[in-house]
Amino acid sequence: MKSMKMMQRAQAGFTLIELMIVIAIIGILAAIAIPQYQDYVTRAKWQENIVSMEPIKLAIAECAQNNSGDLTLCDTAAKIGVTLPTPKYGSALTMTPTTAAINVTGTATVGSFTLVMTPTVNPTNISWAVSGTCTKAKCGITPG
């Protein structure tokens, strides 16, 4: 009976090795989670740049529709009747003459990537090709 009480008292806490194993596991999980979290934050910030392009895309689509699909009549902000905004995490939006492509370069906060959205007029709609140095992991949108 006395030895049973001694054994229960001896096993009342965690050993040093058990605590070190738990700390090592937490460290490994943190090493994996922190870079993933940073990519998630960057993607969320890039969405503001992408959202700022949406009114311009709509104006280009409307202009192309009104001009029988001729994008050369819709390739500047003046021709589509809008002011190009400056997104919070990017340079001022620009448009490429003759193609009406919308360009934005992210700030250093979001990796200084570039994103170009180029319209193509189809018989029933306008499709947008995405190109630039953004990747899905960093910008949340797949170029190509």
Side-chain angles (χ1 to χ4, degrees), residues 34-98:
I34 290 172
Q36 293 298 322
Y37 177 74
Q38 289 171 336
D39 285 350
Y40 174 76
V41 169
T42 301
R43 277 193 308 273
K45 288 178 179 178
W46 254 103
Q47 287 307 307
E48 185 158 333
N49 294 347
I50 293 167
V51 165
S52 69
M53 293 176 151
E54 293 303 318
I56 310 306
K57 287 170 56 178
L58 182 63
I60 291 170
E62 184 179 349
C63 176
Q65 182 179 11
N66 293 335
N67 292 297
S68 302
D70 186 0
L71 288 175
T72 60
L73 299 174
C74 308
D75 60 356
T76 65
K79 289 179 183 177
I80 60 174
V82 299
T83 302
L84 298 175
T86 301
K88 184 175 180 180
Y89 297 104
S91 63
L93 296 181
T94 59
M95 292 180 68
T96 306
T98 68

